[in-house]
Amino acid sequence: MPIKVGIVRDPRYLDHKTGLVHPESPNRLRSIYRMVDKEFSDRLVAIQPELATLEDLELVHTPTYIKQILSTAERDFTPLAPDTPVSAKTYMAAWLAVGGCIKGLDALLSERCQACFCLVRPPGHHALSDRAGGFCIFNNLGVTARYAIERCGFERILIIDWDIHHGNAIQDQFYGDNRVLYLSSHYMGWYPHTGDWEETGEGEGLGFNVNLPVFKEMEDEDVLHIYREVLTPIVRNFRPQLFLVAAGFDAHHRDPLGRTRLTEKAFGWLAQMVLQLSESMRSAPILLSLEGGYDNWALAASVREVLGILTFDGRRERIPLTYTKKAAEVVDKALGIHRKYGIWTS
Ligand SMILES: [Zn+2]
């Protein structure tokens, strides 16, 4: 049986203007929306986003910071951070990005769909509670996870971040919290320069933060090996009730910012792995939210692979089992560090 897949989209996400040369441009979503219209028009459940409430934004962000963002309304240009410019309608897009993810979660809970891809911008995984950065303004998935805990009673949420940059703000938000397990694969040499092996959480959250610094020569089979070896036991032991995916596609080999050697197929296989793991957890719902990805062709192609897997009604392709020595070293290193916590080794 194919699962029902929702998408969140809205033309107001295109109103966040970043200037002529900024990589996080409205063309990113235009290229995805065009592909979706062409190839998935009748296969997806359309979910209309709504603004998050201020109380929901405050689940993660400080009232002062929220006021600062809303005060940029209708001003042509405000540099929130050196890499994060804001235009007149940015506040609306950012507010609606959080609200879109929450509406996506509501759609999953009401069983309108079993997986939902929130095709929103600006991205969110670098947005701290009181500071914008890395093209991010509000922490879309951070708020969604808090909302799921505080408003919907979830007790165990797994956040998987396959963007090539470390999601410092998601880590920061749940660093001392054992109800949210954050797992990120990323390259350490780039922004935001966090996400080292030894950042494993603190207090009750110790062991619930899994960083997997990867290497630039990483190929499809490598990332799949790393995720299979680490994610499978984590899911078995942690037993997540909800899967959230910080779905960035800047590890694609064409991407101008985060080039590794991945093809768009890798993201489809990763989605397949997440889907199979969710099925092993009594079909726990899956919500993906768009993070990075700055080559428009690669972005649309990668989202096509993910949606293709999620909506596919047929025999699934076998995930490749080969990998390089370096990928095995990543798994060994992670295992060495996390063995003492037992969350995925017991
Ligand atoms: Zn990124």
Side-chain angles (χ1 to χ4, degrees):
M1 273 282 285
I3 64 166
K4 280 189 284 183
V5 179
I7 56 159
V8 173
R9 62 184 279 184
D10 194 288
R12 286 172 287 179
Y13 295 130
L14 307 175
D15 292 339
H16 167 43
K17 313 265 196 247
T18 49
L20 288 177
V21 293
H22 199 285
E24 206 289 275
S25 90
N27 288 335
R28 299 174 61 235
L29 275 189
R30 283 193 188 100
S31 113
I32 297 175
Y33 288 178
R34 221 176 291 131
M35 178 280 295
V36 167
D37 287 338
K38 209 168 136 201
E39 302 188 30
F40 293 94
S41 59
D42 55 348
R43 293 158 64 189
L44 300 168
V45 179
I47 294 153
Q48 194 58 43
E50 287 174 16
L51 294 178
T53 65
L54 291 178
E55 290 76 23
D56 290 341
L57 289 179
E58 285 175 12
L59 289 168
V60 166
H61 296 285
T62 65
T64 309
Y65 177 68
I66 295 167
K67 209 185 277 178
Q68 183 198 350
I69 299 305
L70 300 188
S71 74
T72 66
E74 310 311 329
R75 278 162 45 187
D76 277 349
F77 175 75
T78 312
L80 276 185
D83 59 4
T84 314
V86 158
S87 64
K89 304 277 188 209
T90 294
Y91 78 100
M92 178 60 74
W95 196 356
L96 201 62
V98 179
C101 289
I102 290 176
K103 283 297 281 186
L105 179 63
D106 287 343
L108 292 166
L109 297 184
S110 65
E111 298 184 359
R112 282 183 67 203
C113 51
Q114 284 90 48
C116 179
F117 204 150
C118 303
L119 297 168
V120 303
R121 63 184 282 278
H125 69 160
H126 302 308
L128 294 162
S129 60
D130 59 354
R131 202 163 70 236
F135 317 162
C136 300
I137 294 171
F138 290 133
N139 190 338
N140 304 328
L141 282 186
V143 175
T144 306
R146 283 255 172 263
Y147 177 95
I149 292 169
E150 307 289 339
R151 314 267 196 258
C152 312
F154 279 90
E155 293 171 342
R156 293 180 309 282
I157 298 171
L158 175 61
I159 303 182
I160 299 161
D161 189 336
W162 69 51
D163 189 284
I164 198 62
H165 302 97
H166 180 241
N168 56 315
I170 300 180
Q171 168 172 302
D172 188 67
Q173 186 56 222
F174 301 106
Y175 208 56
D177 197 329
N178 60 8
R179 297 168 298 180
V180 176
L181 195 152
Y182 176 63
L183 180 145
S184 171
S185 59
H186 49 271
Y187 183 65
M188 273 293 291
W190 296 321
Y191 181 91
H193 304 289
T194 51
D196 216 340
W197 294 103
E198 303 288 349
E199 294 167 22
T200 53
E202 64 186 8
E204 288 190 346
L206 197 58
F208 292 81
N209 195 82
V210 180
N211 283 321
L212 304 167
V214 290
F215 47 98
K216 273 205 273 190
E217 310 77 40
M218 173 174 73
E219 307 214 14
D220 290 0
E221 290 78 2
D222 292 328
V223 76
L224 297 169
H225 174 71
I226 293 167
Y227 269 85
R228 181 174 45 239
E229 293 300 311
V230 176
L231 203 50
T232 310
I234 282 180
V235 168
R236 192 171 54 231
N237 290 330
F238 182 59
R239 305 193 67 74
Q241 300 160 312
L242 173 65
F243 289 72
L244 301 181
V245 181
F249 299 97
D250 42 12
H252 193 282
H253 67 92
R254 285 177 56 128
D255 194 277
L257 295 196
R259 198 169 282 170
T260 70
R261 293 185 184 164
L262 299 193
T263 72
E264 54 276 16
K265 289 280 278 182
F267 300 106
W269 274 316
L270 283 172
Q272 181 169 320
M273 206 181 291
V274 172
L275 181 59
Q276 284 168 340
L277 288 168
S278 103
E279 285 168 352
S280 75
M281 290 294 115
R282 299 180 177 189
S283 298
I286 305 168
L287 183 134
L288 306 97
S289 183
L290 183 66
E291 295 286 351
Y294 305 100
D295 177 276
N296 294 337
W297 183 92
L299 191 52
S302 302
V303 173
R304 179 197 292 121
E305 289 293 323
V306 171
L307 289 175
I309 289 289
L310 295 177
T311 56
F312 185 59
D313 178 21
R315 198 181 163 83
R316 290 180 192 151
E317 237 180 289
R318 273 180 71 84
I319 296 175
L321 290 172
T322 53
Y323 53 90
T324 65
K325 193 162 160 265
K326 273 186 147 183
E329 285 167 4
V330 169
V331 173
D332 286 347
K333 175 107 182 173
L335 188 60
I337 286 167
H338 282 267
R339 185 175 283 121
K340 56 181 175 285
Y341 305 120
I343 185 63
W344 55 285
T345 54
S346 59

